[in-house]
Amino acid sequence: MSEPAIRSLGATLTDDGVEFAVWSKHADSVEFCLFDAEGKKEVMRLPLTREGEEHRLFVEGVKAGARYGFRAHGTYDPDQGLWFDPAKLLVDPYAKELDRPFRYDPRLGTFGEDTRDLMPKAIVARDVTIKPAKPLFQPGGLIYEIAVTPFTMLHPDVPAEKRGTLAALAHPAVIAHLKRLHVDAVELMPITAWIDERHLPPLGLTNGWGYNPVAFMALDPRLVPGGVTELRETVAALHAEGIAVILDLVFNHTGESDRQGPTLSLRGLDNSTYFRHQPDQPGTLVNDTGTGNTVACDQSATRRLIIDSLRHFVLHAGIDGFRFDLATVLGRTSKGFDPESLTLRSLFADEVLQDRIMIAEPWDIGPGGYQLGNFPAPFLEWNDRARDDLRCFWRGDGGKIGDIATILAGSSSVFGRDGRTQTRSVNFLAAHDGFTLMDIVSYERKHNEANGENNRDGHNENLSWNNGVEGKTDNPAILGKRRTDIEAMLSTLFATRGTIMLTAGDEGGRTQRGNNNAYCQDNDITWMDWAALDEELIGHTAWLASLRHRFSAFSDMEFFNGDGDVLWFSTEGTTMTVSDWEQPDAGLLGMAIETEDRDSSRKTRLAVLLNRGHEEQRFKLPASSEGGWLLLNPQGPTAVQNEITVPARSVSFLIEN
């Protein structure tokens, strides 16, 4: 019997068969279970051989496409953190493809109940290794956040059989929309295999977002029925159009949840190692994620699984980068969050990963969990302070003029600590979690009744306003106000220095009917109605994106140095004074910045004028050494002299002529 040349974890395919390997420190023994082609009948069960903390077995004659799982033997004593139950078929943590989605059933969490009929089977996959190119995305670009199924399910041009799947993103009509918006990277909400939270099936609901993972590498068959091949081909199609692909991954918890949750993979293999527990209470799971468990990312076996998962997506699909959900967990140790933790440092020490784009959601709900600005470079970070301040400014809150200037300048107060000279901010107005941009200007309160929790779930404070009517209306005046507000907020976002993110559909007024926690609405509440999108809004967004591509100052990651590269001015065209900044109801601001105009390859100045008031406002412009200013708009530039009228609730852009 020959031995495979590469000894790694998971299923390693050779000419003679497959070596199966799984990590477990505390299991007494592990068994390999082989299934028939339908994944229903168990046709072989063999013991693995312990080699230290790894368990290995070479099975001759097994080929690509074989379906398998593991069973782990040992003590069942949840009070001691031990969940070994050989009746539970377990998914290989290194599985790359599964034969079916996960479906929740109470039997999955009942000791002694055999679950082979309920569990997906891992599929032995033949890896196709590619040479990854340099990431297409560069910090400062536009990221477009996409939930695959909601984004494509109702697209009229995508063939019916591809709607709701990853392959739909490669359709020419979808790519044309992305290119119209000058999208630099799509950020795909989780596409790896997940399971519904156990309270959803009785409510007739399903998790449509995927933030409840089981297998970190395996693609969910509902979204990616073609497996790694479909992912690789979709990435290649987007790359061919200059669009990078970023995967949103969840390493902070698994769908095995709390003590009443199902046993599916890591829990059954070695719960006490893979998950965090209260000190001296091995039976009490730490819940820094709000989901029932927290992955112990500082454990060497977990760290290896995370790094190997990221390498897999780069080497076998060409992924440009990753966004990490509740990323503070990645840096947690027994002493709390450590920006220099071995796990965080390992991401950039790996030769395959060192040049990838890494984006942190820099918080969890554990002690000291809010870590905005504290992740090590070159991590980019979701900036929720910018999100909140942008909303509050346009809502009309007092004392926000300085905060807006800070955001426009790259949030140096957050990212410029310790002498850092570059922003790492990802600025956004809305994301998948919370109100859509249209709902921010249409609802003062959340409306989550469809979630079956009596509107108790979701954030209560959304920093939103409804422009006179709560929710849906046919009143043209109110609809006009809402569009104006969205245009103003988008204009401000696109004028910020750093990286920006737009959630799919916000460019066209997509609504979730006031639901700010729509993770369990895999239906028309979240599905993007392409026919209902506001073409005028889309055009405005596309124009803003073209400005951002044209002028280098917006995507420049360097902070302003104050040596003439930025001028903050009042409506009088003069430098803002302390008194101007301290006006509690100030809602007018001018910014003039040095920039390269890529259209003409020359250095010039760009002015951005903000008027959040409900009346138009005259602005005097700074003196120009070039002979005046040009007002930029989608219809073409217009020459102006020393003054300009800025419409109510709007942002104007001018270039020195």
Side-chain angles (χ1 to χ4, degrees):
M1 185 180 296
S2 62
E3 289 287 329
I6 301 175
R7 296 178 61 80
S8 58
L9 293 175
T12 302
L13 183 65
T14 73
D15 292 338
D16 301 321
V18 178
E19 184 185 54
F20 297 92
V22 66
W23 190 95
S24 178
K25 178 180 180 180
H26 296 103
D28 293 340
S29 62
V30 178
E31 291 179 313
F32 162 78
C33 301
L34 184 68
F35 290 82
D36 63 10
E38 287 74 39
K40 295 181 179 180
K41 182 180 179 181
E42 187 176 325
V43 298
M44 181 187 297
R45 188 182 297 194
L46 297 170
L48 280 72
T49 300
R50 178 184 285 276
E51 299 181 12
E53 295 175 349
E54 296 178 0
H55 303 252
R56 294 183 174 273
L57 172 70
F58 184 79
V59 185
E60 196 165 12
V62 174
K63 301 182 183 301
R67 287 154 167 77
Y68 72 98
F70 295 121
R71 296 179 188 271
H73 295 255
T75 302
Y76 181 80
D77 187 355
D79 288 340
Q80 296 302 312
L82 302 173
W83 290 81
F84 296 109
D85 180 2
K88 296 291 176 287
L89 187 71
L90 304 174
V91 165
D92 183 356
Y94 277 73
K96 295 167 184 171
E97 295 187 18
L98 300 177
D99 68 347
R100 72 197 74 174
F102 287 94
R103 303 290 185 190
Y104 179 78
D105 188 290
R107 289 168 51 206
L108 294 168
T110 304
F111 178 73
E113 286 274 0
D114 196 294
T115 57
R116 65 183 174 186
D117 61 316
L118 300 173
M119 287 292 291
K121 313 307 184 293
I123 301 175
V124 176
R126 184 180 298 279
D127 290 334
V128 176
T129 302
I130 62 176
K131 184 178 181 180
K134 182 180 176 63
L136 285 179
F137 182 79
Q138 295 297 315
L142 168 61
I143 297 172
Y144 190 72
E145 186 191 39
I146 292 176
V148 170
T149 295
F151 184 64
T152 63
M153 186 61 79
L154 300 180
H155 198 295
D157 297 325
V158 173
E161 66 273 13
K162 287 189 176 182
R163 292 176 188 169
T165 73
L166 185 68
L169 299 184
H171 190 277
V174 173
I175 289 178
H177 183 75
L178 299 176
K179 290 180 70 67
R180 179 184 181 189
L181 297 177
H182 297 272
V183 168
D184 296 301
V186 293
E187 182 177 295
L188 306 181
M189 288 165 58
I191 60 173
T192 55
W194 75 85
I195 191 169
D196 286 340
E197 293 82 353
R198 64 178 179 270
H199 75 279
L200 293 181
L203 296 171
L205 300 172
T206 59
N207 186 320
W209 284 357
Y211 289 98
N212 204 36
V214 178
F216 293 153
M217 296 187 199
L219 300 169
D220 197 287
R222 291 166 289 191
L223 298 186
V224 200
V228 179
T229 299
E230 182 176 336
L231 175 61
R232 181 170 55 251
E233 291 176 350
T234 303
V235 171
L238 290 165
H239 279 179
E241 300 295 337
I243 301 170
V245 180
I246 296 169
L247 294 187
D248 190 342
L249 297 178
V250 182
F251 293 124
N252 58 76
H253 79 282
T254 78
E256 290 164 299
S257 188
D258 57 20
R259 187 160 175 154
Q260 286 71 48
T263 297
L264 308 169
S265 184
L266 297 182
R267 168 176 286 178
L269 286 168
D270 202 328
N271 173 77
S272 59
T273 296
Y274 282 117
F275 299 101
R276 305 194 73 84
H277 298 78
Q278 292 290 351
D280 303 320
Q281 297 180 46
T284 303
L285 289 159
V286 168
N287 189 19
D288 289 339
T289 62
T291 61
N293 64 37
T294 303
V295 172
C297 295
D298 58 337
Q299 294 293 324
S300 60
T302 313
R303 183 182 308 116
R304 179 180 177 184
L305 175 58
I306 292 170
I307 297 299
D308 286 349
S309 298
L310 300 177
R311 286 174 57 89
H312 161 64
F313 288 120
V314 176
L315 291 174
H316 302 140
I319 295 299
D320 298 271
F322 306 94
R323 181 263 186 188
F324 299 100
D325 184 66
L326 299 184
T328 300
V329 172
L330 282 175
R332 280 199 179 275
T333 69
S334 60
K335 297 181 180 179
F337 176 77
D338 180 4
E340 297 300 321
S341 72
L342 182 56
T343 300
L344 289 178
R345 286 193 285 111
S346 295
L347 297 178
F348 299 105
D350 186 271
E351 61 180 6
V352 172
L353 304 177
Q354 59 187 357
D355 67 346
R356 298 297 106 175
I357 298 298
M358 303 285 185
I359 304 173
E361 182 183 42
W363 53 78
D364 63 25
I365 65 169
Y370 190 74
Q371 294 293 333
L372 178 65
N374 294 331
F375 276 73
F379 260 104
L380 302 178
E381 300 181 37
W382 273 26
N383 189 346
D384 64 324
R385 289 187 192 171
R387 174 200 65 193
D388 293 351
D389 285 338
L390 284 167
R391 292 187 188 185
C392 287
F393 175 79
W394 285 104
R395 185 172 67 170
D397 294 15
K400 288 296 178 181
I401 197 71
D403 294 329
I404 285 295
T406 296
I407 297 164
L408 290 169
S411 297
S412 60
S413 59
V414 174
F415 299 103
R417 303 169 190 160
D418 303 321
R420 295 176 179 177
T421 60
Q422 291 189 324
T423 182
R424 294 179 294 108
S425 183
V426 177
N427 302 320
F428 61 104
L429 291 160
H432 63 271
D433 188 10
F435 276 162
T436 68
L437 188 52
M438 175 58 78
D439 288 353
I440 290 171
V441 301
S442 304
Y443 294 88
E444 290 188 351
R445 304 178 303 280
K446 66 182 182 182
H447 295 268
N448 297 355
E449 291 80 7
N451 296 356
E453 298 185 47
N454 296 315
N455 208 34
R456 292 189 302 267
D457 62 306
H459 295 295
N460 291 318
E461 180 51 73
N462 297 283
L463 308 176
S464 61
W465 61 101
N466 64 21
N467 277 291
V469 172
E470 186 73 359
K472 187 175 181 179
T473 180
D474 294 325
N475 186 314
I478 292 176
L479 293 174
K481 289 180 179 179
R482 290 175 178 176
R483 177 190 288 155
T484 296
D485 285 355
I486 290 175
E487 289 183 350
M489 286 195 289
L490 285 171
S491 296
T492 311
L493 173 66
F494 276 75
T496 60
R497 176 162 284 207
T499 303
I500 63 171
M501 185 184 77
L502 184 68
T503 297
D506 278 352
E507 73 276 15
R510 182 180 72 91
T511 178
Q512 291 178 170
R513 306 172 199 165
N515 192 320
N516 75 350
N517 191 33
Y519 77 101
C520 58
Q521 300 298 329
D522 189 11
N523 50 47
D524 62 355
I525 290 178
T526 57
W527 295 350
M528 191 156 129
D529 185 351
W530 289 81
L533 294 181
D534 186 328
E535 177 61 28
E536 185 174 328
L537 270 181
I538 296 174
H540 179 76
T541 308
W543 177 70
L544 291 171
S546 70
L547 287 186
R548 193 169 175 90
H549 267 250
R550 176 179 173 183
F551 297 108
S552 64
F554 296 136
S555 57
D556 191 341
M557 304 299 283
E558 296 285 339
F559 293 122
F560 293 123
N561 58 34
D563 187 21
D565 56 353
V566 62
L567 170 68
W568 305 103
F569 60 93
S570 69
T571 56
E572 296 302 313
T574 55
T575 302
M576 291 277 285
T577 65
V578 173
S579 176
D580 292 331
W581 289 114
E582 291 180 346
Q583 290 295 320
D585 58 349
L588 302 164
L589 180 65
M591 174 181 73
I593 50 178
E594 293 182 342
T595 185
E596 178 188 356
D597 180 355
R598 296 187 177 114
D599 281 1
S600 61
S601 299
R602 70 183 180 95
K603 296 288 186 180
T604 185
R605 278 199 304 171
L606 185 73
V608 182
L609 311 179
L610 284 73
N611 175 17
R612 79 166 183 196
H614 294 277
E615 303 291 338
E616 64 181 29
Q617 179 67 46
R618 293 291 292 176
F619 265 86
K620 291 183 179 179
L621 298 170
S624 171
S625 60
E626 302 293 330
W629 295 84
L630 290 175
L631 174 66
L632 302 176
N633 55 62
Q635 294 74 39
T638 303
V640 297
Q641 296 302 316
N642 299 325
E643 293 189 4
I644 184 175
T645 299
V646 179
R649 309 288 290 170
S650 75
V651 178
S652 294
F653 296 85
L654 300 96
I655 183 175
E656 201 165 17
N657 189 9

